[in-house]
């Protein structure tokens, strides 16, 4: 058995032991760290041809471990999904450092499936082969020398422990209760699932595609559209288009600034923030996508080298005006939140604005440094993924309920929305109920608060049961702190008892 296979068998044992009959929590962070350490050590013994330690490897490692930390701290559906993607990205970059984020994911997925195919293909060939080589026999015998005595010793240990209580007391520190048929099957499934990711199979077509998609634009590059139109006609179209779009966006921004500095401080009673904001965001979504597409199309070829400085200046001004539109939308969203509180949709507006701003900035760099569309895709995709990694570290439910209950006027608080966010909001709503139980927002809707009491108790019972039935591997900081906060209440809800 090769050293790499020994590393893999040990790695799968750790992963299976961390995950078997457990929830995702601390175990994901441990798996991330262990996986990085073992793959890094394995690289020392078996250097990879197309890989080296570079900033991208370190960055992929940081993303992988950070997402494991996010699952340990918060553990949401988003953090779980992003953790899985960061795992695939790390594996791809570890084995082929030049891979970008999108193709790194694709390369890892194909390696997972092709590795599984090669595993079964090799296994079948080994059984069908009548004569094996001398080296193969030695490897198989060496495997039997270590595994057979160990398995037999474990069997007799369990038998003797069951037969004699005294022997059990003396040997109970050797806890092998986790070994069962269920664990063996689970181990085998993990072994198969990760095989192609550890024994990486590089697809040459994907690697070739990555190499051919260069960040820089060749000085001789032209396409059929450019050849048909001619560089002079393209310059005229670009000039007229950019002048028109700059004038329109300039007018839009002037009206927006007038509204922010004149109308918004003294809003009309009929002003509907939702219509104002969502209309602006919808327009922003369409415009930013079109901006990036148009600029990328204009500066795809010879205009980078033969285009006039005026066209380039107009393109850069247009991008700056779009950034100003992002800024005004940030202000309008802030005013909306100030009056009506936080929601996931309003937080999502901020996230989108951040992503839009990053896309515009990279488009700005693309023009100044004469970069291709693939430079844009590589950098924007990695920036977006980094953003979602950071988002996974924040307990948004707790942030929303804390802000709305402390910063928003009571008449504007949507208690139904807060309760719909789930268990994280229950303790804060209970504190609010205790402090305002005789006020109209409480007494006018007793059914809502009865439902809160019921959900509170059922959630607390679930967390207590989960804590009893799992080990430290499933530790999740958010749930741990939530249960501690819930245990401060002596609430035992019965529908017959009218708390109000």
């Amino acid at each position: 058995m090769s050293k790499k296979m020994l590393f893999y068998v040990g790695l799968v044992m750790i992963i299976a032991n961390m995950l078997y009959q457990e929830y995702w929590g601390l175990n994901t962070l441990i798996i991330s760290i262990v996986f990085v350490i073992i793959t890094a050590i394995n690289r020392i013994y078996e250097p990879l041809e197309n890989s080296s330690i570079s900033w991208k490897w370190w960055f992929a490692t940081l993303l992988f471990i950070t997402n494991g930390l996010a699952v340990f701290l918060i553990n949401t559906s988003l953090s779980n999904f992003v953790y899985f993607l960061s795992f695939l990205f790390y594996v791809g970059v570890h084995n082929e450092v030049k891979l970008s984020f999108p193709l790194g994911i694709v390369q890892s997925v194909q390696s997972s499936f092709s590795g599984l195919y090669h595993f079964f293909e090799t296994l079948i060939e080994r059984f069908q082969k009548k004569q094996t080589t001398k080296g193969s026999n030695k490897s198989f015998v060496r495997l039997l020398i270590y595994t057979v005595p160990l398995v037999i010793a474990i069997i007799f240990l369990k038998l003797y422990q069951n037969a004699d209580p005294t022997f059990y007391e003396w040997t109970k520190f050797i806890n092998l209760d986790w070994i069962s048929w269920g664990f063996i099957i689970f181990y085998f499934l993990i072994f198969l699932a990760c095989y192609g990711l550890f024994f990486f199979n590089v697809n040459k077509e994907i690697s070739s595609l990555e190499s051919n998609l260069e960040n820089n634009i060749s000085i001789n590059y032209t396409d059929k559209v450019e050849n048909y139109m001619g560089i002079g006609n393209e310059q005229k179209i670009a000039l007229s288009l950019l002048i028109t779009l700059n004038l329109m966006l300039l007018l839009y921004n002037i009206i927006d600034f007038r509204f922010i500095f004149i109308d918004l401080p003294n809003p009309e009673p009929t002003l509907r923030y939702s219509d104002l904001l969502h209309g602006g965001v919808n327009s922003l979504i369409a415009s930013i996508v079109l901006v990036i597409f148009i600029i990328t199309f204009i500066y795809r070829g010879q205009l980078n080298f033969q285009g006039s400085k005026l066209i380039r200046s107009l393109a850069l001004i247009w991008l700056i005006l779009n950034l100003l539109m992002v800024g005004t939308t940030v202000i309008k969203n802030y005013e909306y939140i100030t009056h009506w509180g936080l929601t996931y949709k309003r937080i999502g507006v901020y996230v989108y604005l951040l992503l839009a701003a990053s896309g515009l900035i990279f488009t700005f760099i693309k023009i100044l440094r004469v970069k291709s569309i693939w430079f844009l895709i590589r950098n924007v995709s990695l920036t977006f993924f980094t953003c979602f990694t950071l988002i996974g570290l924040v307990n948004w439910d707790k942030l929303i309920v804390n802000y709305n209950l402390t910063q928003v006027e009571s008449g504007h608080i949507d208690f139904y929305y807060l309760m719909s966010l789930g268990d994280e909001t229950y303790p804060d709503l209970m504190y609010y109920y205790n402090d305002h139980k005789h006020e109209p927002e409480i007494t006018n809707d007793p059914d809502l608060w009865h439902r809160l009491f019921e959900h509170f108790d059922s959630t607390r019972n679930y967390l207590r049961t989960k804590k009893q039935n799992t080990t430290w591997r499933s530790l999740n900081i958010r749930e741990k702190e939530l249960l501690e906060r819930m245990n401060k209440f002596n609430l035992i809800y019965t529908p017959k008892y009218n708390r109000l």
Side-chain angles (χ1 to χ4, degrees):
M1 185 181 295
S2 66
K3 289 181 179 179
K4 188 170 185 178
M5 179 58 75
L6 285 174
F7 282 138
Y8 182 63
V9 170
L11 175 62
V12 174
M13 179 62 73
I14 294 172
I15 295 175
N17 185 262
M18 288 289 109
L19 295 179
Y20 183 62
Q21 294 183 338
E22 300 286 345
Y23 296 90
W24 281 23
L26 176 60
N27 45 16
T28 58
L29 178 59
I30 295 174
I31 289 171
S32 301
I33 296 172
V34 170
F35 195 94
V36 169
I37 292 174
I38 290 181
T39 51
I41 293 175
N42 181 68
R43 175 181 289 185
I44 297 174
Y45 291 97
E46 297 183 18
L48 300 173
E49 181 179 350
N50 298 321
S51 182
S52 59
I53 300 295
S54 69
W55 73 266
K56 189 178 288 186
W57 184 90
W58 285 109
F59 193 70
T61 302
L62 179 62
L63 288 176
F64 185 27
I65 295 177
T66 302
N67 281 296
L69 177 64
V71 176
F72 170 49
L73 295 176
I74 309 298
N75 195 3
T76 61
S77 299
L78 175 64
S79 62
N80 292 339
F81 178 68
V82 176
Y83 174 77
F84 179 69
L85 290 182
S86 66
F87 171 54
L88 295 177
F89 179 54
Y90 167 78
V91 171
V93 170
H94 175 79
N95 291 277
E96 197 173 1
V97 75
K98 66 181 181 180
L99 288 174
S100 60
F101 177 75
L103 291 184
I105 300 291
V106 174
Q107 187 76 286
S108 294
V109 171
Q110 76 78 27
S111 179
S112 176
F113 286 103
S114 62
L116 198 61
Y117 172 79
H118 289 310
F119 172 77
F120 283 108
E121 185 181 45
T122 304
L123 197 64
I124 292 171
E125 287 179 356
R126 185 177 293 273
F127 277 106
Q128 289 178 343
K129 206 170 183 181
K130 294 182 179 180
Q131 293 182 348
T132 58
T133 61
K134 186 176 180 181
S136 299
N137 280 326
K138 284 184 177 181
S139 298
F140 183 69
V141 170
R142 192 180 299 115
L143 177 64
L144 291 178
I145 290 174
Y146 291 110
T147 57
V148 172
L150 179 62
V151 171
I152 294 176
I154 291 174
I155 292 173
F156 275 93
L157 175 66
K158 302 290 285 186
L159 289 173
Y160 292 153
Q161 285 181 336
N162 292 331
D164 189 347
T166 305
F167 181 80
Y168 172 78
E169 289 296 324
W170 279 86
T171 60
K172 66 180 181 180
F173 66 92
I174 307 176
N175 187 2
L176 300 175
D177 293 340
W178 50 274
I179 298 179
S180 63
W181 283 111
F183 177 82
I184 293 172
I185 294 173
F186 184 74
Y187 177 91
F188 181 68
L189 293 175
I190 296 292
F191 186 94
L192 294 178
C194 296
Y195 185 85
L197 298 174
F198 193 82
F199 296 91
F200 202 79
N201 179 44
V202 175
N203 185 291
K204 293 183 179 180
E205 293 181 359
I206 297 176
S207 299
S208 177
L209 178 63
E210 183 71 69
S211 300
N212 293 333
L213 301 177
E214 297 181 357
N215 286 333
N216 297 315
I217 300 175
S218 172
I219 195 170
N220 298 318
Y221 174 81
T222 58
D223 56 24
K224 292 181 179 179
V225 176
E226 200 166 62
N227 289 331
Y228 177 78
M229 295 292 297
I231 186 66
N233 291 327
E234 280 211 353
Q235 287 192 71
K236 293 177 183 178
I237 294 173
L239 183 61
S240 60
L241 178 64
L242 289 172
I243 289 175
T244 304
L245 292 175
N246 270 288
L247 290 174
M248 290 176 60
L249 191 53
L250 179 62
L251 178 62
Y252 180 93
N253 280 332
I254 290 173
I255 295 172
D256 237 11
F257 275 107
R258 181 188 180 282
F259 172 79
I260 289 173
F261 291 107
I262 297 177
D263 296 338
L264 199 57
N266 302 294
E268 295 290 336
T270 57
L271 177 63
R272 297 185 62 183
Y273 285 92
S274 60
D275 294 341
L276 174 68
L277 178 68
H278 296 155
V281 170
N282 292 334
S283 299
L284 188 64
I285 291 172
S287 65
I288 295 299
V289 172
L290 284 174
V291 165
I292 296 174
F293 176 78
I294 291 171
I295 292 296
T296 302
F297 183 78
I298 291 175
Y299 283 96
R300 72 193 185 282
Q302 288 303 304
L303 275 183
N304 287 283
F305 309 104
Q306 299 182 33
S308 67
K309 292 183 178 180
L310 176 60
I311 295 177
R312 175 169 294 192
S313 299
L314 288 172
L316 295 177
I317 291 171
W318 193 36
L319 291 174
I320 293 172
L321 290 175
N322 275 277
L323 284 171
L324 287 176
M325 186 169 66
V326 170
T328 57
T329 309
V330 168
I331 296 172
K332 287 186 285 188
N333 193 43
Y334 173 78
E335 290 294 328
Y336 190 13
I337 291 171
T338 301
H339 285 81
W340 296 100
L342 275 173
T343 65
Y344 269 104
K345 192 169 184 178
R346 293 159 203 167
I347 293 172
V349 170
Y350 277 136
V351 173
Y352 170 75
L353 294 175
L354 175 63
L355 299 180
S358 66
L360 290 170
I361 291 170
F362 278 111
T363 306
F364 199 93
I365 296 172
K366 169 191 159 34
I367 297 175
L368 289 179
R369 299 177 61 183
V370 191
K371 297 295 183 179
S372 69
I373 186 175
W374 300 109
F375 165 83
L376 206 59
I377 292 174
R378 288 184 177 106
N379 288 279
V380 169
S381 62
L382 190 58
T383 302
F384 281 18
F385 187 73
T386 303
C387 179
F388 284 112
T389 296
L390 298 176
I391 288 172
L393 293 169
V394 180
N395 189 341
W396 296 105
D397 290 343
K398 188 174 181 180
L399 180 66
I400 290 172
V401 71
N402 283 340
Y403 180 87
N404 289 1
L405 294 180
T406 58
Q407 304 298 324
V408 180
E409 295 180 10
S410 59
H412 291 170
I413 299 175
D414 188 345
F415 293 104
Y416 282 93
Y417 174 76
L418 294 180
M419 199 169 75
S420 70
L421 296 178
D423 52 16
E424 189 66 42
T425 65
Y426 299 161
D428 292 282
L429 288 172
M430 285 299 305
Y431 281 119
Y432 187 89
Y433 167 79
N434 289 335
D435 294 338
H436 304 82
K437 63 175 64 178
H438 300 299
E439 296 181 10
E441 65 264 26
I442 305 294
T443 57
N444 290 343
D445 197 355
D447 291 338
L448 169 67
W449 301 97
H450 285 155
R451 200 181 313 157
L452 170 64
F453 302 147
E454 187 176 0
H455 290 340
F456 185 98
D457 277 348
S458 62
T459 300
R460 181 166 58 179
N461 291 334
Y462 165 76
L463 292 176
R464 287 173 174 174
T465 303
K466 181 179 178 180
K467 182 180 179 181
Q468 293 172 356
N469 295 335
T470 56
T471 66
W472 55 270
R473 300 170 182 83
S474 299
L475 176 64
N476 173 248
I477 297 301
R478 183 188 69 83
E479 291 185 350
K480 177 178 178 294
E481 294 179 348
L482 176 60
L483 183 58
E484 291 174 352
R485 294 167 65 204
M486 283 184 157
N487 285 334
K488 295 179 181 179
F489 294 90
N490 297 318
L491 181 66
I492 302 176
Y493 176 67
T494 54
K496 296 180 182 179
Y497 179 66
N498 187 355
R499 292 179 174 274
L500 304 177

